Amino acid sequence: MQCALRLAVLFTAANGAAAQDAAPRYVDQSTGLRFPTLLSQLRYEGLREFDKAALGYCVLYAAKDAHGQICVYDFGHKNLPTGIDSAPFKDALRQAVDATVAATNRAPLSKGELISTGTPSIEADGKVAKAEMRMLSSEMALPEGGTSHQVHLILMTTGFGKFIKLNYTARNPESEAFAQETRQIVEEFIRFNGDTMKKLMVETKAP
């Protein structure tokens, strides 16, 4: 609840000019999304563009014991509706989760499993923005022997006619620290993009 209220303030009161003081490392001209040098502890590492246009691109970030990426793609769908209710979104989310489960059960990772789900939402001025959240855990074999615990986050929605997906992985995180870090990443991305992010809001349905 506290996080939702904080994010709602960012949506409704973000000063577009203030949010855009720092120069972005990459700008998606088709959606207007802007990607900063830093998202909390994560530093911009580069852009990965796929050969097939339907697979879009991923902006890569990394830190000492964590890494993440924000991916924007459409799987070839045209005019995807904003939000999380469409059949194409549900299929894309399923594919994202299945791919992560498979990756976290491939050496040097093992024991990959889904541990938490959620549907975070933000409401303001009669509009709502929703996303789907999935959290997974795994173990990574270390070269020197033993293993380290890994936590993986998928946060996904649809906007600007595209699927927008955040992947974030941290090594040996404490649960509260992991939650705080993911909140900060999302908040900083929203703040950096200012008014652009309001386009993710849709009219709430009457009861």
Side-chain angles (χ1 to χ4, degrees):
M1 179 64 73
Q2 187 178 15
C3 178
L5 290 173
R6 191 182 307 127
L7 292 177
V9 170
L10 290 173
F11 268 114
T12 57
N15 183 312
Q20 298 178 24
D21 283 345
R25 294 301 301 269
Y26 175 70
V27 178
D28 181 341
Q29 299 296 338
S30 66
T31 64
L33 290 172
R34 306 162 74 252
F35 297 84
T37 298
L38 291 172
L39 285 172
S40 187
Q41 67 168 328
L42 299 178
R43 179 172 291 275
Y44 176 87
E45 290 283 302
L47 174 71
R48 181 184 182 189
E49 296 181 282
F50 296 94
D51 292 336
K52 294 183 179 180
L55 300 181
Y57 65 87
C58 293
V59 179
L60 310 178
Y61 289 87
K64 180 181 178 182
D65 290 316
H67 61 270
Q69 61 181 12
I70 299 175
C71 300
V72 180
Y73 56 102
D74 59 23
F75 278 162
H77 295 288
K78 304 298 182 184
N79 303 314
L80 285 165
T82 298
I84 62 172
D85 296 327
S86 71
F89 171 81
K90 293 175 181 178
D91 184 60
L93 175 64
R94 178 189 57 77
Q95 291 188 52
V97 173
D98 288 350
T100 304
V101 171
T104 54
N105 283 285
R106 188 180 305 124
L109 299 177
S110 64
K111 299 181 181 179
E113 62 177 350
L114 184 68
I115 58 173
S116 181
T117 68
T119 308
S121 64
I122 303 163
E123 294 190 40
D125 299 327
K127 295 184 176 182
V128 62
K130 292 183 179 181
E132 287 288 354
M133 181 276 294
R134 301 292 185 268
M135 194 175 297
L136 301 93
S137 68
S138 69
E139 300 293 325
M140 184 174 72
L142 302 176
E144 64 272 21
T147 61
S148 69
H149 182 61
Q150 306 252 325
V151 179
H152 314 269
L153 174 80
I154 301 170
L155 185 66
M156 188 169 173
T157 191
T158 312
F160 315 102
K162 305 285 186 180
F163 302 123
I164 304 170
K165 179 184 66 172
L166 166 68
N167 293 102
Y168 174 65
T169 295
R171 178 178 173 180
N172 292 325
E174 295 181 359
S175 58
E176 181 55 36
F178 185 84
Q180 182 177 347
E181 181 68 15
T182 54
R183 284 196 299 267
Q184 189 167 342
I185 291 168
V186 172
E187 289 179 12
E188 289 186 7
F189 186 73
I190 291 172
R191 186 180 294 111
F192 191 79
N193 278 276
D195 289 342
T196 299
M197 299 304 288
K198 293 181 182 179
K199 296 177 182 177
L200 298 179
M201 308 287 286
V202 297
E203 297 289 340
T204 56
K205 296 179 180 179

